Amino acid sequence: MTDKTVSIDIRKDLFGANEAAASINADIFRKHGLKTFDIMGSVGTGKTLLIESLCIRLAGKYRILMVAGDLATTIDADRVASHGVDTVQINTGTACHLDARMVRYALREIDLGKYQLMFIENVGNLICPAGYPLGVDKKIVVLSITEGPYMVKKHPLTIKRSDMVVINKIDLADVLEFDVDALVNDVREVDAKLQVFKVSSKTGDGLDELIDALEL
Ligand code: MG
Ligand code: ZN
């Protein structure tokens, strides 16, 4: 029988390695003067349309790069590319989130000096992407009122780990009889200081306020 047991916290180890990789990314992004945002949220919350809408508004001001994380398809990257934005696809296969090393690997042959702004669309998943910093300026979680009223209550950790919350598809609030302010209050209960934006990527409602808050 051994008198020494070494226990390894695999989760801590994994997360620690990612944090280190994220800080290398942050240095690289900073060196290139790149503003960077990680857009997280479930499948169908409108992450891609939000990025498209922001790109359309900001294309005159910045050279933009979009990185699309997806299990298998290039649908999102193709949509954003249709607006003349350069895109990089990361197909994660079975991985349900992007991590910092995946992002760096995907960008290894890209001349980041050509760009001033980068949006990363994370894999559609409300849970683990928030736990993996990518080295970006802000992690933004996109919620959609079509997901029902309990997204914040059921995912407080994701909210806590985000720098900003976007409540999307507010144009549907009346039809769905959805109390958007109640969802805002749920966010405030998790973190009273977190910025929350009510947005419709479709109609453009709230986008100017969001762009101001992103200092873009
Ligand atoms: Mg998408
Ligand atoms: Zn995951």
Side-chain angles (χ1 to χ4, degrees):
M1 204 174 141
T2 177
D3 60 348
K4 265 191 183 168
T5 304
V6 178
S7 53
I8 298 169
D9 185 338
I10 291 173
R11 276 174 57 89
K12 199 175 154 195
D13 229 47
L14 264 175
F15 285 117
N18 186 70
E19 300 261 345
S23 85
I24 295 170
N25 287 4
D27 283 346
I28 294 170
F29 300 154
R30 208 175 302 120
K31 197 182 88 196
H32 288 95
L34 199 58
K35 296 169 188 273
T36 51
F37 301 98
D38 176 13
I39 313 295
M40 311 177 294
S42 312
V43 174
T45 52
K47 296 183 294 300
T48 312
L49 189 58
L50 177 67
I51 293 170
E52 289 181 86
S53 310
L54 291 172
C55 285
I56 289 166
R57 280 166 178 75
L58 295 166
K61 193 169 173 191
Y62 300 100
R63 284 273 296 173
I64 305 172
L65 180 66
M66 184 261 192
V67 177
D70 197 287
L71 294 174
T73 79
T74 62
I75 294 169
D76 298 343
D78 293 345
R79 277 174 53 187
V80 175
S82 76
H83 303 288
V85 174
D86 289 351
T87 60
V88 175
Q89 181 67 49
I90 305 177
N91 283 133
T92 57
T94 54
C96 47
H97 58 268
L98 295 176
D99 69 33
R101 272 175 295 194
M102 282 181 212
V103 171
R104 191 156 72 250
Y105 186 74
L107 295 175
R108 71 197 182 284
E109 284 172 0
I110 306 288
D111 175 9
L112 291 177
K114 276 171 57 184
Y115 305 97
Q116 295 102 37
L117 173 59
M118 179 169 73
F119 292 113
I120 300 174
E121 179 172 344
N122 218 308
V123 178
N125 169 3
L126 190 58
I127 302 171
C128 45
Y132 289 83
L134 304 178
V136 298
D137 296 331
K138 277 189 165 62
K139 276 175 114 48
I140 302 171
V141 63
V142 181
L143 307 173
S144 158
I145 65 170
T146 54
E147 298 176 296
Y150 307 120
M151 297 309 284
V152 172
K153 285 193 193 309
K154 292 189 178 185
H155 299 91
L157 207 56
T158 293
I159 301 298
K160 252 184 217 147
R161 287 169 168 166
S162 302
D163 300 305
M164 192 180 272
V165 179
V166 170
I167 299 175
N168 201 11
K169 307 194 189 181
I170 56 159
D171 52 298
L172 298 174
D174 285 346
V175 188
L176 297 173
E177 297 180 11
F178 192 99
D179 186 349
V180 179
D181 290 328
L183 196 62
V184 173
N185 285 337
D186 288 348
V187 175
R188 301 248 183 271
E189 270 176 33
V190 174
D191 182 345
K193 294 187 296 294
L194 208 54
Q195 286 182 292
V196 190
F197 294 89
K198 298 185 260 186
V199 166
S200 167
S201 303
K202 196 172 156 194
T203 65
D205 250 9
L207 284 177
D208 289 340
E209 291 85 344
L210 178 62
I211 287 170
D212 280 350
L214 296 174
E215 298 176 22
L216 291 175

Short mmCIF file of all heavy atoms in Angstrom, two decimals, residues 41-49 51-52 66 68-70 73 75-77 79-80 121-124, ligand 1:
data_model
loop_
_atom_site.label_atom_id
_atom_site.label_comp_id
_atom_site.label_asym_id
_atom_site.label_seq_id
_atom_site.Cartn_x
_atom_site.Cartn_y
_atom_site.Cartn_z
N GLY A 41 -23.37 31.84 -26.58
CA GLY A 41 -24.82 31.67 -26.42
C GLY A 41 -25.26 30.37 -27.06
O GLY A 41 -24.53 29.78 -27.86
N SER A 42 -26.47 29.94 -26.72
CA SER A 42 -26.99 28.68 -27.26
C SER A 42 -27.16 28.76 -28.77
O SER A 42 -27.16 29.85 -29.35
CB SER A 42 -28.37 28.37 -26.67
OG SER A 42 -28.36 28.52 -25.28
N VAL A 43 -27.38 27.61 -29.38
CA VAL A 43 -27.74 27.55 -30.80
C VAL A 43 -29.07 28.28 -30.98
O VAL A 43 -30.00 28.07 -30.20
CB VAL A 43 -27.91 26.08 -31.25
CG1 VAL A 43 -28.41 26.02 -32.69
CG2 VAL A 43 -26.60 25.31 -31.11
N GLY A 44 -29.13 29.18 -31.95
CA GLY A 44 -30.42 29.81 -32.27
C GLY A 44 -30.73 31.08 -31.53
O GLY A 44 -31.83 31.61 -31.63
N THR A 45 -29.75 31.62 -30.76
CA THR A 45 -30.03 32.86 -30.04
C THR A 45 -29.77 34.10 -30.90
O THR A 45 -30.07 35.21 -30.48
CB THR A 45 -29.15 33.01 -28.77
OG1 THR A 45 -27.79 32.82 -29.17
CG2 THR A 45 -29.53 32.00 -27.73
N GLY A 46 -29.18 33.86 -32.08
CA GLY A 46 -28.94 35.01 -32.97
C GLY A 46 -27.53 35.57 -32.87
O GLY A 46 -27.33 36.75 -33.14
N LYS A 47 -26.57 34.75 -32.48
CA LYS A 47 -25.18 35.22 -32.40
C LYS A 47 -24.69 35.67 -33.78
O LYS A 47 -24.08 36.73 -33.91
CB LYS A 47 -24.24 34.08 -31.91
CG LYS A 47 -24.53 33.60 -30.51
CD LYS A 47 -23.53 32.55 -30.06
CE LYS A 47 -23.59 31.24 -30.83
NZ LYS A 47 -24.90 30.56 -30.75
N THR A 48 -24.96 34.86 -34.78
CA THR A 48 -24.46 35.17 -36.12
C THR A 48 -25.10 36.44 -36.66
O THR A 48 -24.42 37.32 -37.18
CB THR A 48 -24.71 34.00 -37.10
OG1 THR A 48 -24.27 32.79 -36.47
CG2 THR A 48 -23.96 34.20 -38.39
N LEU A 49 -26.42 36.56 -36.50
CA LEU A 49 -27.10 37.76 -37.01
C LEU A 49 -26.62 39.00 -36.26
O LEU A 49 -26.47 40.07 -36.86
CB LEU A 49 -28.63 37.62 -36.90
CG LEU A 49 -29.41 38.74 -37.59
CD1 LEU A 49 -29.06 38.83 -39.07
CD2 LEU A 49 -30.92 38.55 -37.42
N ILE A 51 -23.59 39.42 -35.06
CA ILE A 51 -22.28 39.73 -35.64
C ILE A 51 -22.45 40.36 -37.02
O ILE A 51 -21.80 41.37 -37.35
CB ILE A 51 -21.39 38.46 -35.70
CG1 ILE A 51 -21.03 38.02 -34.27
CG2 ILE A 51 -20.12 38.72 -36.52
CD1 ILE A 51 -20.36 36.66 -34.18
N GLU A 52 -23.36 39.80 -37.83
CA GLU A 52 -23.59 40.38 -39.16
C GLU A 52 -24.04 41.84 -39.04
O GLU A 52 -23.53 42.71 -39.75
CB GLU A 52 -24.69 39.58 -39.89
CG GLU A 52 -24.27 38.20 -40.35
CD GLU A 52 -25.40 37.50 -41.09
OE1 GLU A 52 -25.55 37.71 -42.30
OE2 GLU A 52 -26.17 36.76 -40.42
N MET A 66 -13.70 37.72 -38.60
CA MET A 66 -14.65 36.93 -37.82
C MET A 66 -14.13 35.51 -37.74
O MET A 66 -13.73 34.92 -38.74
CB MET A 66 -16.02 36.96 -38.49
CG MET A 66 -17.13 36.25 -37.71
SD MET A 66 -17.45 34.59 -38.33
CE MET A 66 -18.99 34.21 -37.50
N ALA A 68 -15.27 31.78 -36.66
CA ALA A 68 -16.50 31.02 -36.38
C ALA A 68 -16.17 29.66 -35.79
O ALA A 68 -15.49 28.86 -36.42
CB ALA A 68 -17.30 30.85 -37.68
N GLY A 69 -16.65 29.43 -34.59
CA GLY A 69 -16.51 28.11 -33.97
C GLY A 69 -17.79 27.34 -34.19
O GLY A 69 -18.88 27.84 -33.92
N ASP A 70 -17.66 26.15 -34.71
CA ASP A 70 -18.85 25.36 -35.01
C ASP A 70 -18.44 23.90 -34.96
O ASP A 70 -17.32 23.56 -35.30
CB ASP A 70 -19.36 25.72 -36.42
CG ASP A 70 -20.79 25.28 -36.67
OD1 ASP A 70 -21.03 24.07 -36.82
OD2 ASP A 70 -21.68 26.16 -36.69
N THR A 73 -20.19 22.76 -39.32
CA THR A 73 -20.55 23.48 -40.56
C THR A 73 -19.78 24.78 -40.73
O THR A 73 -19.10 25.24 -39.81
CB THR A 73 -22.06 23.84 -40.59
OG1 THR A 73 -22.28 25.00 -39.77
CG2 THR A 73 -22.92 22.69 -40.09
N ILE A 75 -21.73 27.36 -41.99
CA ILE A 75 -22.92 28.19 -42.28
C ILE A 75 -22.73 29.62 -41.76
O ILE A 75 -22.97 30.59 -42.49
CB ILE A 75 -24.18 27.55 -41.63
CG1 ILE A 75 -24.49 26.20 -42.31
CG2 ILE A 75 -25.38 28.49 -41.72
CD1 ILE A 75 -25.56 25.38 -41.58
N ASP A 76 -22.29 29.76 -40.51
CA ASP A 76 -22.18 31.09 -39.90
C ASP A 76 -21.09 31.92 -40.57
O ASP A 76 -21.29 33.09 -40.88
CB ASP A 76 -21.90 30.98 -38.40
CG ASP A 76 -23.02 30.27 -37.66
OD1 ASP A 76 -24.13 30.17 -38.23
OD2 ASP A 76 -22.79 29.83 -36.52
N ALA A 77 -19.93 31.28 -40.78
CA ALA A 77 -18.82 32.00 -41.41
C ALA A 77 -19.24 32.45 -42.82
O ALA A 77 -18.93 33.57 -43.24
CB ALA A 77 -17.59 31.11 -41.48
N ARG A 79 -22.22 33.18 -43.87
CA ARG A 79 -23.14 34.31 -43.76
C ARG A 79 -22.39 35.61 -43.52
O ARG A 79 -22.66 36.63 -44.15
CB ARG A 79 -24.14 34.07 -42.62
CG ARG A 79 -25.30 33.20 -43.05
CD ARG A 79 -26.20 32.83 -41.89
NE ARG A 79 -26.68 33.99 -41.12
CZ ARG A 79 -27.37 33.87 -40.00
NH1 ARG A 79 -27.65 32.66 -39.50
NH2 ARG A 79 -27.78 34.94 -39.36
N VAL A 80 -21.44 35.58 -42.60
CA VAL A 80 -20.69 36.79 -42.29
C VAL A 80 -19.80 37.18 -43.47
O VAL A 80 -19.69 38.36 -43.82
CB VAL A 80 -19.87 36.61 -40.99
CG1 VAL A 80 -19.00 37.82 -40.71
CG2 VAL A 80 -20.81 36.36 -39.79
N GLU A 121 -17.23 33.94 -32.91
CA GLU A 121 -18.51 33.31 -32.56
C GLU A 121 -18.20 31.95 -31.97
O GLU A 121 -17.67 31.07 -32.64
CB GLU A 121 -19.43 33.17 -33.78
CG GLU A 121 -20.74 32.49 -33.37
CD GLU A 121 -21.81 32.48 -34.45
OE1 GLU A 121 -21.73 33.23 -35.43
OE2 GLU A 121 -22.77 31.68 -34.29
N ASN A 122 -18.51 31.79 -30.69
CA ASN A 122 -18.21 30.52 -30.03
C ASN A 122 -19.20 29.44 -30.46
O ASN A 122 -20.21 29.73 -31.10
CB ASN A 122 -18.24 30.72 -28.51
CG ASN A 122 -17.17 29.91 -27.80
OD1 ASN A 122 -17.07 28.70 -28.01
ND2 ASN A 122 -16.37 30.57 -26.99
N VAL A 123 -18.90 28.20 -30.13
CA VAL A 123 -19.79 27.09 -30.42
C VAL A 123 -21.12 27.33 -29.70
O VAL A 123 -21.14 27.81 -28.57
CB VAL A 123 -19.16 25.77 -29.92
CG1 VAL A 123 -20.09 24.59 -30.18
CG2 VAL A 123 -17.81 25.54 -30.58
N GLY A 124 -22.23 27.04 -30.39
CA GLY A 124 -23.55 27.27 -29.81
C GLY A 124 -23.80 26.40 -28.59
O GLY A 124 -24.07 25.21 -28.71
MG MG B 1 -24.46 31.15 -35.33
#
